[in-house]
Amino acid sequence: MITDRPTIFVVDDDPPVLRSMERVLHTEGYAVRSFVHPRLMLACEPWPGPGCVLMDLRLPELDGLELQEQLRKAGWRHPVVFVSGYGDVPVAVQAMKAGAVDFLPKPVSTEALLAAVSQALARDQTLRASHAEHERLRLRFSTLTPREWDVCRGVARGLLNKQIAAELGTAEQTVRFQRGRAMAKLAVGSVAELVRLLDRLEPPSGANPGTR
């Protein structure tokens, strides 16, 4: 069951450390799921609700950086905070470049741990809001036919109807009709608004977000 209560996923092969972090996080009201082995977390389906991941750097079979990458490939999008007694500066830099929110040395104080978790959850909230907006836009554009999307791309490039018609090998009147129909489906009242909507969607080059 998904709730608004954030879930903190903790991965550490040291049971006393794991229990200590669990106590701190439970005291703050967070839901906690703990794993003593990285494979146990990888066996779980990506959590769709709010949360973040706390993980040690040195873990059995997979180190923290490898686990971070494997989670990303598996569909996890939650921010990561590393907590480790072995991290040096180059490793910390590598972790941050890979998207980690923070890299905390052990032993970590309660204040530092909670501050990092708070920062990670704030980032998660921002990312979730951005993803939700992008999904709403994608659904709006999914109502367009492939040709209507082609016309929209031409409009976004600043082309006139007759220029779009020449590129698509169709009549200018047809392009005018398709542009009007696309704008009606997208509920935009001007070309400028249509272009802004396309900029917010930011599709990959040559991609058609209206296709399924």
Side-chain angles (χ1 to χ4, degrees), residues 145-155 157 164 168 208:
T145 66
R147 182 48 62 92
E148 287 168 351
W149 171 239
D150 289 337
V151 170
C152 286
R153 283 192 295 181
V155 171
R157 289 161 52 203
I164 297 173
L168 299 180
N208 181 355

Side-chain angles (χ1 to χ4, degrees), residues 121-183:
L121 292 176
R123 180 182 292 185
D124 180 63
Q125 184 178 26
T126 299
L127 292 173
R128 288 167 61 81
S130 177
H131 177 78
E133 181 187 15
H134 190 277
E135 183 62 15
R136 286 192 294 270
L137 287 175
R138 190 196 66 78
L139 289 174
R140 288 172 71 179
F141 276 94
S142 72
T143 63
L144 303 184
T145 66
R147 182 48 62 92
E148 287 168 351
W149 171 239
D150 289 337
V151 170
C152 286
R153 283 192 295 181
V155 171
R157 289 161 52 203
L159 300 181
L160 301 174
N161 287 341
K162 63 180 179 181
Q163 293 172 313
I164 297 173
E167 282 195 358
L168 299 180
T170 189
E172 182 179 351
Q173 183 178 357
T174 301
V175 168
R176 186 179 297 110
F177 171 76
Q178 290 168 334
R179 188 179 81 173
R181 190 166 61 179
M183 292 176 66

Side-chain angles (χ1 to χ4, degrees), residues 20-21 24-25 28 54 81-84 102 104-117:
S20 176
M21 287 195 285
V24 170
L25 295 168
E28 292 298 309
L54 294 175
V81 175
F82 282 104
V83 184
S84 179
D102 210 339
L104 305 176
K106 289 181 179 179
V108 59
S109 68
T110 298
E111 292 76 12
L113 181 67
L114 293 178
V117 167

Side-chain angles (χ1 to χ4, degrees), residues 11-25:
V11 189
D12 198 304
D13 62 340
D14 187 338
V17 171
L18 203 59
R19 287 193 296 270
S20 176
M21 287 195 285
E22 285 177 340
R23 284 195 297 269
V24 170
L25 295 168

Side-chain angles (χ1 to χ4, degrees), residues 42-61:
L42 285 172
C44 299
E45 290 293 324
W47 170 242
C52 68
V53 181
L54 294 175
M55 67 172 71
D56 196 359
L57 180 64
R58 292 195 177 184
L59 295 166
E61 291 190 42

